[in-house]
Amino acid sequence: MAVELKKKGDKINLEKSENRSLGEVLINLNWNQGSPQKKKGVFGSIFGKDNSNSGIDLDLGCLFEMKDGSKSVIQALGNCFGDLVRLPYISLDGDDRTGESLGGENLRINGNMVHLFKRILVFTFIYDGVANWHEVDGIVTIKAPGSSNVIVRMDEHNTSHRMCAIAMLENVNNETFSIEKTVRFFSDHEQMDRYYNWGLNWVPGRK
């Protein structure tokens, strides 16, 4: 069973069983695999080896802020992959540079430590390639034990900006996260940071 947040600003809480912790929260970024031909993960058939386009590298990441005021970023750029069992209790599985992974890209959050978090902003950005969000048709699925899957589609495509803030997760009573659809596009990390008042210092990076 899945619940889709259809409009910007739509919000839902992840469910949790009584007397149990939230458990691991999995955030998956993939493309909408609506036909048998679309089986290569994000950008697989659109920008695959048989296409004259040289390819595109879409990266999943997040900004996080803890209750104690500490904050940073999890992303492949700069090799900031995080850690699931130690601070910051968020990890990025890896960096799919080819777009051929069936599983797309995944962020994992240690929901047992939800009480330490204030907010998490899930984003994706095009590290390499032309910004064509319409053809990408990205979809994010958020999963947690005992909770319905939450789906957020990147369905506002009229932009050439390379970065998209997809969803905001916020602490609810130190027990679970609320999820709000944002789907707002920005030119870069710094512009997104300023909009959401994160306050990090940004420098150019490579991977």
Side-chain angles (χ1 to χ4, degrees):
M1 181 178 177
V3 176
E4 181 177 351
L5 303 182
K6 295 187 176 182
K7 296 186 297 183
K8 187 180 298 184
D10 282 355
K11 183 184 291 189
I12 192 172
N13 290 353
L14 289 175
E15 303 163 9
K16 63 179 289 291
S17 301
E18 189 175 357
N19 300 322
R20 291 184 58 186
S21 60
L22 184 60
E24 181 181 288
V25 179
L26 173 68
I27 301 173
N28 171 259
L29 170 66
N30 217 315
W31 65 325
N32 185 10
Q33 298 179 5
S35 67
Q37 287 75 28
K38 297 182 178 182
K39 293 297 182 182
K40 293 185 180 180
V42 183
F43 310 113
S45 67
I46 299 173
F47 299 113
K49 295 179 180 179
D50 296 331
N51 194 297
S52 59
N53 193 304
S54 60
I56 193 165
D57 183 11
L58 186 73
D59 283 355
L60 178 66
C62 71
L63 300 177
F64 67 86
E65 182 177 3
M66 312 301 281
K67 285 284 194 69
D68 66 4
S70 59
K71 57 186 75 172
S72 192
V73 62
I74 301 295
Q75 60 178 6
L77 190 64
N79 293 317
C80 300
F81 288 97
D83 195 303
L84 193 61
V85 297
R86 291 181 291 272
L87 284 170
Y89 301 110
I90 307 174
S91 68
L92 178 65
D93 281 1
D95 180 21
D96 178 17
R97 300 294 297 271
T98 66
E100 295 183 354
S101 169
L102 286 174
E105 293 200 359
N106 298 287
L107 277 169
R108 300 177 189 273
I109 303 170
N110 188 338
N112 298 330
M113 300 298 175
V114 63
H115 59 284
L116 298 178
F117 288 94
K118 180 179 179 181
R119 57 178 180 159
I120 301 168
L121 180 66
V122 179
F123 65 80
T124 185
F125 68 99
I126 297 174
Y127 178 76
D128 190 24
V130 177
N132 190 336
W133 298 102
H134 177 72
E135 290 192 30
V136 169
D137 196 16
I139 180 171
V140 164
T141 305
I142 302 173
K143 307 176 183 180
S147 182
S148 299
N149 292 348
V150 179
I151 293 173
V152 179
R153 298 182 189 275
M154 297 164 60
D155 49 8
E156 297 183 22
H157 305 131
N158 187 24
T159 181
S160 60
H161 290 329
R162 305 178 69 82
M163 169 160 283
C164 179
I166 303 170
M168 180 76 78
L169 281 66
E170 294 182 286
N171 182 312
V172 178
N173 299 323
N174 292 328
E175 293 184 348
T176 187
F177 290 109
S178 66
I179 303 169
E180 179 182 355
K181 178 175 180 175
T182 54
V183 187
R184 189 178 298 274
F185 293 87
F186 302 92
S187 59
D188 55 26
H189 289 72
E190 189 171 7
Q191 186 184 53
M192 181 179 69
D193 181 301
R194 289 198 305 268
Y195 184 88
Y196 290 101
N197 193 30
W198 227 270
L200 298 179
N201 294 317
W202 297 95
V203 295
R206 298 183 63 186
K207 60 177 182 174

